Amino acid sequence: MVGSRVLRPAAQLLRSSPSVLPRCSFQKVTAPVAASRWRRTYASPSGSKEMTVRDALNEAMAEEMEKNSKVFVLGEEVGQYNGAYKVTKGLLDRFGEKRVIDSPITESGFCGLTVGAALAGLHPICEFMTFNFAMQAIDQIINSAAKTHYMSGGIQPCNITFRGPNGFASGVGAQHSQDYSAWYGSIPGLKVVAPYSAEDAKGLLKAAIRDPNPVVVLENELLYGLSFPMSEEAQSDEFVLPFGKAKIERPGKDLTMVTLSRCVGQCLVAAEMLKSKYGVEAEVINLRSVKPLDVEAIIKSVKKTGHMMAVESGFPSFGVGAELIALTAEYAFDYLEAPPVRVTGAEVPTPYAQCLEEMSFPSEQLIADYAAKLLRL
Amino acid sequence: MLSKFAPRAFTAPVRYNAGAPLRAAFRPVMVARRTVTTDAASSHADKEDVPDSDDAPFQVKLSDEAFETYELDPPPYTLDTTKGELKKMYYDMVAVRRMEMAADRLYKEKKVRGFCHLSTGQEAVAVGIEHGIEKTDHIITAYRCHGFAMMRGGSVRSIIGELLGRREGIAHGKGGSMHMFSTGFYGGNGIVGAQVPVGAGIGFADQYLGKSSVTLSLYGDGASNQGQVFEAFNMAKLWNLPVIFACENNKYGMGTASARSSALPEYYKRGQFIPGLKINGMDVLAVKAAAEFGKQWCAAGKGPLVYEFVTYRYGGHSMSDPGTTYRTREEIQRMRSTNDPIAGLKLKILEWEVASEEELKAIDRKAREHVDEEVAAAEAMEAPHATQEVLYEDIYVRGSEPEFLRGRTPEENFYYPERPVQVPKSPAQT
């Protein structure tokens, strides 16, 4: 009964998924190469072009700022420095100091300030150098931004976008490596997205800026420099992606891998490893949106494959993986042929030394091996 | 006179005096230094200057103890007003107090849930500010917000209705005592100090949009030590924002006397690089004069100000606090009997022959009757329907909701009906 509600047909569901899975071997284990090779075979080659996630984010902001004078960017080093990770590169030159504002290092303060500006009718993009620093400001994001519309009885909207890199990078240690997807994903009143590819980045960030609610855009530093194909459609300045719709990055019949952000690329590589080694087809679902979450896409896939694996890089306890498995158990228990499993970050404050850091987060090999175990291969 | 020689008599109640000499030793000796009075009846006007007509302007001289300044030339010690305005201010303060008394009663009758923070004694701040600014200006404050909500245009019935958790409450029963919003009023915020940078952001928006409005970002002496208050000061000064950071110093953050929480309890000086003004917050005329001055200051592009309204709360911090464990009954009694903002204005109105005793009684009666009628109307309001539609409305802007939100069980999931995105006009965009 409930299931039928969740599982009602969605016309757009498979729109962006490829109908033919290209055959190519993945020598390298870098996700972007894998993804771009794979995508090239079906994306219309004429209009498609390569673009880094960084440039896609930059383009999204520039287009929205061009379109709406109420949109402005405020954050640490977004202007003269061109962005700590160069995501806002060139925006100062293009839009001037009024709309690209270098903030002092004062997260709680500038986050509160942008929330106030949003309450007063502007559409701020509040950049955090990383979401680790946004912990200083999480009260403003949750209590001042997410809850105000409800608390005011619907008279006080807050159109604001919080964005910045989330999750671990390389060798940055415990305080700069945390994944906050589960933190923000649990808050009613927020929308939360986690783009993987350049198309995701552009479409989701533009949608976030336009959305009249507070939206948290969880980017990933390790994805910034990676190139992905941008379809002709995605190159348009009207390209937005809907929230709450996952993308099937790779269709498959034997196993459902539900994942987000950087782990999407890892799962695509792992799926290819599973295919070449065991001949099994894993379906890789890129969540795109953490809140709202596309339960329907997950359940539909699990009904088909009978096997569910959640892959994410956050801490395991009470995390995104836990939520995905709980939902699967609630809505698709009868279709499961084996207990649902999750691959997550380890329950460890991220260590500095490379060999230890590698043990703390999912790797392609680990994902593939664990999937093989789940499938009893 | 009390304030001149013993300005901290309220700050440091008797029980803390043991430590006072020690602390005093570190304080620079100030010779013949003027301090702000909390005398609510310290302004002056000549009877002969008061015109007959309610609308004709005349000038009131404020006490030279109405203000104290920090890196600032003092505002004029005169205030232009009318008889009509004085009577309106009197009415407003009486109405706010009457409403707070009603809230007190309803709470004690167990009809108000959760928290309830009353502003009895502090009425001159909300009323004086409103009379000094325009409707297009902005106010944001903390949880002691009923008076501000009313002065910003919230009806008594909608405010009391909110306390009672009614559908027709100012936030449809979703906010409660601490969360009330209306045009130009951004709450009603429950996290101590967090509203201060938000207020700076409202001022930022005004500057961005080229408006000449001013934002008053209010907080208490308790909140003044929050780090983000200083963060907001820094950005406001850096970017020359049209914001008045206004500390309502009612001497106690919950039960902690200001001198026990603040290394520098002179809150108007705490902007460091921002000019400050300390104001007699018990004299509604001084408050209005300060608000007018600040509005002009900000409109002239001179950047932020830090205000300190010296005031006093008669009741406890909230309804569960009798308010007598950290201060003496004598102190409360003294403030009530000698510094009351309503009694102070009343004295002046009579002295200046703005209105007769009978007229004031009529105003009292009118305010009382109005509030009582509104409270009765609020009590007659219905609670929100306990339906999913009501529970789940307004979590997101209408038309932009997710497909569904989860209930306590999946069976209770709420599916939003499909509707086009309709972005409501922000109340700030009037």
Side-chain angles (χ1 to χ4, degrees):
Chain A
M1 176 192 71
V2 174
S4 66
R5 221 49 237 266
V6 171
L7 300 172
R8 59 191 169 178
Q12 295 178 321
L13 188 69
L14 296 171
R15 191 186 54 182
S16 51
S17 68
S19 53
V20 180
L21 186 72
R23 291 176 180 276
C24 58
S25 65
F26 291 84
Q27 306 298 336
K28 293 182 184 175
V29 281
T30 49
V33 179
S36 60
R37 273 190 200 170
W38 170 61
R39 289 292 303 270
R40 256 185 210 147
T41 56
Y42 74 92
S44 87
S46 55
S48 178
K49 71 169 184 184
E50 293 279 318
M51 190 181 250
T52 61
V53 169
R54 175 181 288 116
D55 290 343
L57 291 166
N58 183 280
E59 188 171 284
M61 283 188 281
E63 284 175 6
E64 293 306 302
M65 289 176 78
E66 201 69 67
K67 207 176 281 288
N68 187 343
S69 64
K70 287 182 178 173
V71 180
F72 68 96
V73 188
L74 189 149
E76 293 156 6
E77 310 296 354
V78 296
Q80 292 189 6
Y81 194 89
N82 266 327
Y85 296 102
K86 307 299 170 205
V87 175
T88 54
K89 189 175 179 181
L91 294 183
L92 175 64
D93 289 343
R94 191 162 161 193
F95 297 101
E97 284 182 343
K98 184 187 168 189
R99 300 180 65 195
V100 182
I101 302 151
D102 280 322
S103 157
I105 302 173
T106 173
E107 278 82 9
S108 172
F110 80 68
C111 180
L113 186 140
T114 51
V115 170
L119 296 178
L122 299 183
H123 303 170
I125 302 170
C126 174
E127 173 176 314
F128 293 108
M129 199 179 291
T130 90
F131 267 96
N132 297 284
F133 310 153
M135 213 160 17
Q136 292 259 5
I138 199 166
D139 168 64
Q140 293 289 3
I141 298 172
I142 292 171
N143 277 316
S144 302
K147 295 178 184 170
T148 294
H149 190 256
Y150 191 78
M151 292 196 310
S152 69
I155 67 165
Q156 181 57 76
C158 184
N159 180 338
I160 187 168
T161 304
F162 304 104
R163 54 154 291 271
N166 172 59
F168 76 101
S170 291
V172 292
Q175 291 182 339
H176 287 63
S177 298
Q178 198 166 330
D179 183 329
Y180 293 89
S181 310
W183 289 42
Y184 295 110
S186 71
I187 304 300
L190 284 182
K191 293 184 182 179
V192 185
V193 294
Y196 160 61
S197 66
E199 282 192 5
D200 286 2
K202 182 175 172 185
L204 292 172
L205 180 53
K206 282 169 72 76
I209 295 167
R210 293 183 188 186
D211 193 279
N213 305 287
V215 183
V216 177
V217 181
L218 300 168
E219 300 157 7
N220 188 296
E221 188 197 325
L222 298 172
L223 294 174
Y224 279 156
L226 305 186
S227 290
F228 292 84
M230 287 280 268
S231 66
E232 213 163 343
E233 186 197 1
Q235 290 169 42
S236 151
D237 62 2
E238 278 305 324
F239 176 69
V240 287
L241 286 171
F243 294 147
K245 292 289 172 215
K247 179 186 174 196
I248 298 178
E249 294 278 354
R250 174 195 168 114
K253 57 177 176 39
D254 302 314
L255 165 68
T256 299
M257 284 180 169
V258 186
T259 182
L260 73 168
S261 190
R262 182 171 174 270
C263 290
V264 174
Q266 292 181 302
C267 285
L268 287 172
V269 175
E272 196 52 39
M273 290 159 99
L274 288 167
K275 173 151 178 69
S276 57
K277 193 165 176 191
Y278 305 105
V280 297
E281 297 283 6
E283 180 149 294
V284 177
I285 297 181
N286 170 8
L287 279 177
R288 280 183 167 167
S289 169
V290 175
K291 189 176 198 75
L293 196 67
D294 193 348
V295 186
E296 194 175 340
I298 298 165
I299 303 314
K300 235 176 152 171
S301 176
V302 170
K303 279 175 83 170
K304 183 170 66 176
T305 66
H307 294 89
M308 161 71 179
M309 178 179 206
V311 183
E312 55 131 342
S313 63
F315 292 137
S317 304
F318 316 101
V320 174
E323 178 67 21
L324 292 171
I325 288 178
L327 288 167
T328 307
E330 280 178 334
Y331 292 111
F333 189 80
D334 291 342
Y335 302 98
L336 287 168
E337 288 162 30
V341 297
R342 57 183 156 157
V343 178
T344 68
E347 205 153 33
V348 169
T350 307
Y352 168 69
Q354 189 169 356
C355 60
L356 297 177
E357 187 191 89
E358 282 167 2
M359 289 172 68
S360 305
F361 296 107
S363 65
E364 287 91 355
Q365 192 63 53
L366 180 80
I367 296 166
D369 290 349
Y370 203 54
K373 192 176 169 200
L374 170 67
L375 294 171
R376 297 173 183 267
L377 298 169
Chain B
M1 88 256 123
L2 170 74
S3 52
K4 192 170 244 171
F5 298 107
R8 281 180 216 298
F10 328 115
T11 328
V14 180
R15 67 180 58 203
Y16 301 122
N17 277 358
L22 185 69
R23 234 172 281 139
F26 294 104
R27 235 177 254 145
V29 182
M30 293 174 219
V31 182
R33 196 170 163 286
R34 189 191 284 156
T35 52
V36 160
T37 178
T38 48
D39 182 351
S42 60
S43 303
H44 177 79
D46 288 320
K47 226 178 345 191
E48 304 77 54
D49 297 340
V50 178
D52 289 338
S53 161
D54 264 5
D55 304 327
F58 68 100
Q59 209 167 55
V60 171
K61 274 216 269 305
L62 302 174
S63 158
D64 53 7
E65 293 169 354
F67 305 126
E68 226 173 302
T69 61
Y70 169 71
E71 304 286 320
L72 178 73
D73 289 332
Y77 282 80
T78 55
L79 175 73
D80 292 321
T81 185
T82 62
K83 282 168 68 174
E85 185 182 55
L86 292 178
K87 285 189 264 189
K88 182 71 171 67
M89 285 194 207
Y90 179 79
Y91 174 89
D92 286 341
M93 287 200 288
V94 172
V96 170
R97 180 163 299 180
R98 185 78 187 173
M99 181 176 73
E100 294 288 55
M101 283 164 62
D104 183 87
R105 170 178 64 81
L106 292 166
Y107 190 92
K108 285 171 179 156
E109 288 171 7
K110 301 198 187 305
K111 291 176 181 166
V112 177
R113 312 184 67 230
F115 296 116
C116 186
H117 309 86
L118 303 180
S119 65
T120 314
Q122 300 181 209
E123 295 89 348
V125 180
V127 173
I129 288 175
E130 190 62 38
H131 281 269
I133 62 173
E134 308 289 330
K135 283 290 171 205
T136 47
D137 294 317
H138 310 288
I139 289 182
I140 183 168
T141 187
Y143 43 78
R144 207 175 300 284
C145 66
H146 306 164
F148 291 101
M150 180 172 155
M151 292 312 297
R152 290 265 85 187
S155 65
V156 176
R157 73 173 69 193
S158 72
I159 294 166
I160 295 294
E162 190 60 33
L163 296 184
L164 297 170
R166 301 294 205 257
R167 179 64 175 165
E168 291 168 77
I170 195 164
H172 303 317
K174 302 278 182 61
S177 163
M178 297 191 289
H179 307 299
M180 299 179 179
F181 298 76
S182 75
T183 300
F185 184 55
Y186 300 80
N189 291 276
I191 307 297
V192 173
Q195 78 280 8
V196 179
V198 176
I202 297 163
F204 175 94
D206 277 333
Q207 189 189 59
Y208 188 95
L209 297 168
K211 294 182 181 171
S212 60
S213 313
V214 66
T215 300
L216 280 109
S217 194
L218 289 134
Y219 55 99
D221 48 299
S224 70
N225 298 310
Q226 281 279 18
Q228 54 186 323
V229 173
F230 296 94
E231 296 184 27
F233 286 173
N234 180 53
M235 288 183 291
K237 184 66 182 176
L238 200 59
W239 298 332
N240 212 41
L241 301 181
V243 177
I244 301 173
F245 297 102
C247 174
E248 277 188 276
N249 176 10
N250 65 16
K251 322 274 192 185
Y252 300 91
M254 284 192 74
T256 304
S258 55
R260 292 176 64 229
S261 70
S262 303
L264 178 71
E266 293 172 295
Y267 299 103
Y268 67 112
K269 294 181 178 174
R270 292 181 77 169
Q272 189 185 349
F273 35 74
I274 301 178
L277 185 65
K278 186 176 182 179
I279 300 131
N280 176 2
M282 297 309 255
D283 180 359
V284 69
L285 302 174
V287 174
K288 174 180 152 71
E292 273 180 351
F293 170 77
K295 178 167 170 55
Q296 284 164 9
W297 173 278
C298 289
K302 295 180 185 173
L305 290 167
V306 172
Y307 276 10
E308 174 185 351
F309 292 109
V310 187
T311 182
Y312 196 80
R313 103 171 111 71
Y314 295 165
H317 161 72
S318 66
M319 296 305 292
S320 58
D321 168 29
T324 50
T325 60
Y326 48 86
R327 56 185 186 177
T328 62
R329 286 178 198 280
E330 291 71 34
E331 178 189 308
I332 304 168
Q333 200 44 50
R334 188 173 60 237
M335 288 304 289
R336 266 182 180 276
S337 57
T338 63
N339 295 66
D340 184 69
I342 297 176
L345 182 62
K346 183 177 183 177
L347 204 68
K348 292 288 127 182
I349 285 178
L350 292 174
E351 190 184 309
W352 302 338
E353 294 182 1
V354 166
S356 66
E357 186 93 47
E358 287 68 39
E359 276 180 275
L360 284 184
K361 275 188 182 149
I363 295 176
D364 281 338
R365 196 164 49 244
K366 196 175 138 208
R368 204 166 52 230
E369 282 170 5
H370 172 66
V371 171
D372 292 353
E373 277 168 24
E374 291 277 289
V375 170
E379 287 202 77
M381 288 173 183
E382 283 185 19
H385 291 300
T387 62
Q388 293 229 307
E389 284 71 21
V390 174
L391 179 64
Y392 287 93
E393 77 188 345
D394 295 328
I395 299 171
Y396 297 89
V397 170
R398 286 183 190 212
S400 69
E401 298 100 339
E403 193 185 351
F404 72 97
L405 287 175
R406 197 185 155 85
R408 293 172 296 184
T409 62
E411 283 71 16
E412 288 186 354
N413 285 1
F414 180 71
Y415 287 80
Y416 286 99
E418 281 179 21
R419 47 193 168 189
V421 180
Q422 289 167 340
V423 183
K425 198 174 177 188
S426 161
Q429 292 171 301
T430 49

